[in-house]
Structures are given as structure tokens and as C-alpha cells.
Amino acid sequence: MSEIKPVSISYSDFKAGKDFTEEVSEAFGANGLGLIVVRDFPDFQKERQAALRAIRKFADLPEETKEKYTDSKSNYSVGWSHGKEKMRNGVPDTAKGSYYANPLGDVITDDQYLKENFPELYADNIWPGEDLPELEPAFKNMTQVQLGVGYMICELFDRYLHSKTNGLHPPGHFLEMLRRGTTCKGRLLHYFPAPPTASKSQDGLCGWHLDHGGITILTCPLYLDLQSNEITAPSDCGLHIKHPTDGSIVKVTLPPDCMLVQLGESFQYLSGGHLRATAHCVKSSQTPDITRETLALFMDWMPEEVMKLPEYTRPYSEVVHTPFLPEGVPELEGRIKGAKHYRDFAKNTFTAYYSEK
């Protein structure tokens, strides 16, 4: 396993109108890691610290308290989730707990049909107002920062595809689609202290997977000891990527003042395979008595968006193929089959990861 320095871009350069065609191609092309780092974004450390410390406090609440904020009807896609997700060979993922909410609104529809048939997308937010009221504002403040980063990267994708396809890709197409989306999902993540029997495998904290949505914006993780003091990130853990050229496993390190943007499978599909997502996992640390906190924002399309390949698409077999797909990860082709709209694909994906295998 090796450590790799990912492609990075400057927020200041973006505001100045710099051309990032080369960087986008290197990061998200056929040989890219499917991610890019955004540096020198206006200071957001106050928001980052508040959000990540809030999820640590929530995870420390009694189990019966946390259970009040779970929602099985939505496949645990709002509120608290722990041990519900099945990642590797159908084994429940108990290494981490998650708190999910939509940053765009607590109630995004009153349509009961949609709520009952697609609860993963349309369920109302749940907040622990009685037990940890600070979590809600901390979550909302940080995700607003991440939304700005997401729109910025999507604008770069549109510019890149317009150039690469000799104008076949309409300017601003994906940015407009993303701005129409109402089903974004933020995920506060708490990785519990490693027990003595903790897995030493590469995916000991978070199993191998690909994000299925549009784009994912990640904060730098916060590592805390059992007294909630911030500590230096252990060298033996963190985000790992399956390199698409040879299947090797590479570690990606993110500075605290940067954000990381990853591509989702639906964006890979809708771009006709010109932009690529990659399999990734979080490796556990063997250092005892520490926790890892982070916040991932998944920016999605409108549920009604048609899953249609563009006229400039690459061959279908290339579009749906993921090189060196880890064992146990459901193939994109199987989940996209028969999915006319994005909501169908999302439901297929939730079922593949959360149902019994």
C-alpha cells in the first residue's frame, strides 16, 4: 500500500477563472482516482469543529436515547444508523455510526405517495432537539459550506465535458441539474474506538463501496481521544482508494483546511463514462481509545431525473464497468438495469447495500 497526493485545485484560482481542464481529466478520467482536493476555501474551521464534535457527543449518548432518532422505514437514511448497513459479505457494519439529514430542507415534499414508496429520498429530517439540540445547527452550517464547493466542482465538470465533446455537452447542464435536486443527503460519521478484535483489513472501518449519487464533499476527519481532545491523525488509517489502473490500494490524506470531492456512480453514468467514480474504503487504526469524526455531503439529482446516456457516451460496457471492483460490492450494471429514473437507481442501491445478502 502506498500514499498518494491527489490532484488539487485552488478556490482562489477558480474565482479568478483559471482553466482546470487538465486537472479534471487527471482526477476523473479513465486513470484518475475519482476525487479532487479543494484548497484555500474561505475559512470554515469553526463550522467543521462544531459539526464533528456534535456527532461525537451524539454517539456517546445512551443507546436507548439514540434509538429514538432512528427510522427503519427509510432504510435508516434519515436520523441515526448503527449496524444497519451491510458492506462485506452481508456482515453488518458496526465500526461506525451515522446521522443522516437533508441540508436543503427538513420537509421536501408533502406527497404521501412519494414518502411511502421512496422513503430513502423523501423522508423528513429527524433532529435530536431534546437530547442534543446543537447537532442540528452545526450540521446545517457546515453543509451549506459543502454545497458551495459542490456547485463549484460541478461547474468545472460542465466546462470540461463541453470542451471534451466539442460542444455536444450543453454548457451548465449538470450544474443546472444539481441545483434542481432536492434530495441531497448529509452524513455525519462517527467511527467508534477500535476493540481489541478490530479488523486489520484495508476496509476495517468502512467497507469497500462506491457512492451512488452525483458528487460527495468530505471534510477532513477529526480524531479525538476518549476525553474529546483533538489528536494527530494516526498513520495507519484513513481513506483508501482502489487505483483504476492496476487495482493497487492507495491512501489519500486530506489537510484540515481542505475539502475532498468524490464522484458518484450516477454522475459516471450520466456523463457517458467520461467522468469516473472509484471504489474506496476507510481503514481502521490499531491505536486504541480514539474516534474518527467526519461529514460527507452527497449531492444528488431530482428523483425524477431520467437515467439516460448522453449522445457523446462511451461504449455501454465501459460506462457501467468498475475496474478492480472489490468482492461483495454490487455492480453498477445490476443496479442501473431497469432504473428509468434516478429514484429507481437510488432505491436499487439502498436495497443492495442494506438488505440481507
Side-chain angles (χ1 to χ4, degrees), residues 268-281:
Q268 173 176 311
Y269 186 83
L270 293 170
S271 73
H274 290 283
L275 299 171
R276 308 291 303 183
T278 51
H280 53 278
C281 72

Side-chain angles (χ1 to χ4, degrees), residues 107 110 134 138 324:
V107 180
D110 293 323
E134 66 202 70
F324 306 102

Side-chain angles (χ1 to χ4, degrees), residues 142-187:
M142 186 60 224
T143 52
Q144 287 305 305
V145 176
Q146 291 169 289
L147 283 168
V149 173
Y151 293 136
M152 164 188 156
I153 294 298
C154 199
E155 186 174 338
L156 295 183
F157 288 159
D158 277 326
R159 294 178 190 173
Y160 170 75
L161 289 170
H162 182 72
S163 173
K164 184 177 179 63
T165 64
N166 295 317
L168 290 178
H169 178 79
H173 174 67
F174 283 127
L175 179 60
E176 181 183 343
M177 281 179 62
L178 209 60
R179 287 191 179 279
R180 286 200 302 265
T182 60
T183 57
C184 291
K185 194 74 70 176
R187 182 183 191 180

Side-chain angles (χ1 to χ4, degrees), residues 53 56 60 190-191 193 222-232 234 287-293:
R53 288 184 178 277
R56 164 64 183 267
D60 285 343
H190 167 80
Y191 296 86
L222 180 68
Y223 291 90
L224 301 172
D225 63 21
L226 296 186
Q227 289 72 46
S228 295
N229 299 308
E230 184 171 357
I231 62 173
T232 302
T287 305
D289 302 332
I290 65 169
T291 68
R292 182 181 189 269
E293 326 297 330

Side-chain angles (χ1 to χ4, degrees), residues 1 43 133 166 220 262 296 341:
M1 182 188 69
D43 185 54
N166 295 317
C220 177
Q262 291 181 279
H341 300 102

Side-chain angles (χ1 to χ4, degrees), residues 11 21 34 213 216 287:
Y11 176 77
T21 299
T216 303
T287 305

Side-chain angles (χ1 to χ4, degrees), residues 343-357:
R343 64 188 178 202
D344 303 318
F345 174 61
K347 191 174 185 69
N348 291 347
T349 298
F350 276 109
T351 300
Y353 277 108
Y354 282 85
S355 65
E356 296 292 339
K357 296 181 180 180

Side-chain angles (χ1 to χ4, degrees), residues 118-133:
F118 300 96
E120 299 89 352
L121 297 174
Y122 294 104
D124 297 346
N125 285 342
I126 302 171
W127 297 112
E130 295 181 2
D131 298 290
L132 192 66

